[in-house]
Amino acid sequence: MASRFGLSVALTTPFEASGQIAISPMITQARACLGAGCSSATLFGTTGEGASVGAGERRIVTEAMLGAGIPAHQLIAGVLVDAAEDAAEQARHALQCGVRNILLAPPSYFKNVGEDGLFGWFSAVFAALGPLARGILLYNIPSVTMVPLPLALIGRLRAAFPEVIAGVKDSGGDWSYSEALLRAHGDLVILIGDERHLARSVRLGGQGAISGMANFVTGEIRAMAEDGRDDARVESFVLELLRYPVIPAVKVMVARKTGDERWLAVRPPLEPIGSQGRQQLAAAYDRLFATEPA
């Protein structure tokens, strides 16, 4: 039987002043998180601004990670595009490199699409991948995509592609959906993206998380993802992060942890958080994590 998924850090992406990806600190951050107990690092997910990272850049970063000695089985690649051809292209290179999983979001430009249309899109991606198709984690993040993944669709996809669908990452933040997902598809790898629900989901059979907060509180998130241990400090800090655009807020904390301001930069259309916001986040972190978990 395969081992539990555990904790994957949703690796954020640093940028040079030129706008290019700063590969060296990204590799260092991946190594640090893996060394602190993460089972894998997810590249190009939502936290990693994956929708703003092109296919050529993805190849360069992935190959740099492998060249630095990070094993392919400890890497996951996010794919967040609309055209099935583009999704297959991005997934194909990562799978050829041997990555553990593909985190695959639904197409999001067209809204209010039906279940049949979504089934057709995923089917087209898998057909384009052919025998390479495997290890797919369906990505439910309707706050970003505006395209939820109904439980019935997940059931159809796993029935049609049993060797391809590995699990679901649920970042919807709706506990009723998460609970129903665990009941209906608990034999898949079910990962909860909202850290406020993480420990509870693990106690109900969830296999872990892909977490942006694991970039800077790795040990605390690991205890939640692997042991189902509640941590009120983490849950409270989620609320602090949500006072700001979450991706640049996470990068503020990584910059503070590493002392490297390249982590503060984001790619347009995102905007960095100003000095006042950075100070407020730092103060909230110090207030919460100066104490032991409740």
Side-chain angles (χ1 to χ4, degrees):
M1 182 177 177
S3 60
R4 291 182 75 257
F5 181 90
L7 174 61
S8 184
V9 56
L11 202 68
T12 190
T13 305
F15 297 105
E16 304 284 3
S18 64
Q20 293 182 314
I21 294 174
I23 295 177
S24 179
M26 196 172 179
I27 291 171
T28 299
Q29 175 71 355
R31 282 176 171 159
C33 292
L34 293 170
C38 288
S39 58
S40 63
T42 296
L43 311 177
F44 322 124
T46 302
T47 305
E49 299 173 68
S52 297
V53 179
E57 292 178 306
R58 288 164 172 265
R59 288 192 289 271
I60 291 169
V61 171
T62 302
E63 291 168 11
M65 290 275 177
L66 297 173
I70 296 175
H73 67 82
Q74 288 190 296
L75 294 175
I76 293 169
V79 173
L80 320 171
V81 292
D82 284 347
E85 179 185 355
D86 292 342
E89 178 188 359
Q90 291 185 8
R92 182 180 296 110
H93 176 263
L95 290 166
Q96 287 171 336
C97 287
V99 301
R100 177 176 178 172
N101 296 101
I102 298 295
L103 178 63
L104 181 60
S108 61
Y109 184 84
F110 297 106
K111 307 300 189 286
N112 302 313
V113 295
E115 183 183 310
D116 287 347
L118 289 172
F119 182 85
W121 185 87
F122 282 107
S123 299
V125 174
F126 302 153
L129 285 172
L132 282 173
R134 63 162 179 82
I136 301 296
L137 299 171
L138 302 171
Y139 192 8
N140 183 59
I141 184 167
S143 63
V144 175
T145 63
M146 305 297 171
V147 181
L149 298 182
L151 297 183
L153 172 63
I154 295 168
R156 285 180 66 184
L157 287 169
R158 67 177 301 190
F161 305 99
E163 303 302 317
V164 175
I165 304 298
V168 181
K169 183 193 178 189
D170 174 28
S171 294
D174 177 357
W175 176 246
S176 63
Y177 175 93
S178 302
E179 194 172 27
L181 177 64
L182 286 160
R183 283 198 305 266
H185 300 295
D187 55 327
L188 292 175
V189 174
I190 304 299
L191 309 172
I192 302 300
D194 188 328
E195 288 88 354
R196 293 170 295 180
H197 300 158
L198 174 54
R200 180 166 37 165
S201 75
V202 169
R203 295 196 295 269
L204 290 180
Q207 286 205 27
I210 299 175
S211 168
M213 287 185 70
N215 279 282
F216 58 91
V217 281
T218 312
E220 290 84 350
I221 303 295
R222 183 186 179 195
M224 301 175 85
E226 295 193 353
D227 304 328
R229 188 184 309 165
D230 289 314
D231 193 326
R233 302 169 305 167
V234 169
E235 295 176 26
S236 294
F237 198 67
V238 170
L239 298 177
E240 298 294 334
L241 289 172
L242 290 174
R243 294 174 59 193
Y244 305 90
V246 172
I247 296 167
V250 169
K251 298 185 90 168
V252 166
M253 301 312 301
V254 179
R256 186 172 189 254
K257 174 185 174 183
T258 62
D260 188 339
E261 292 198 349
R262 285 177 290 185
W263 292 101
L264 294 174
V266 292
R267 273 198 173 159
L270 298 182
E271 299 176 271
I273 291 174
S275 60
Q276 183 177 356
R278 297 199 298 269
Q279 291 168 8
Q280 290 172 343
L281 281 166
Y285 176 88
D286 289 343
R287 183 179 71 251
L288 287 166
F289 289 94
T291 60
E292 291 299 316

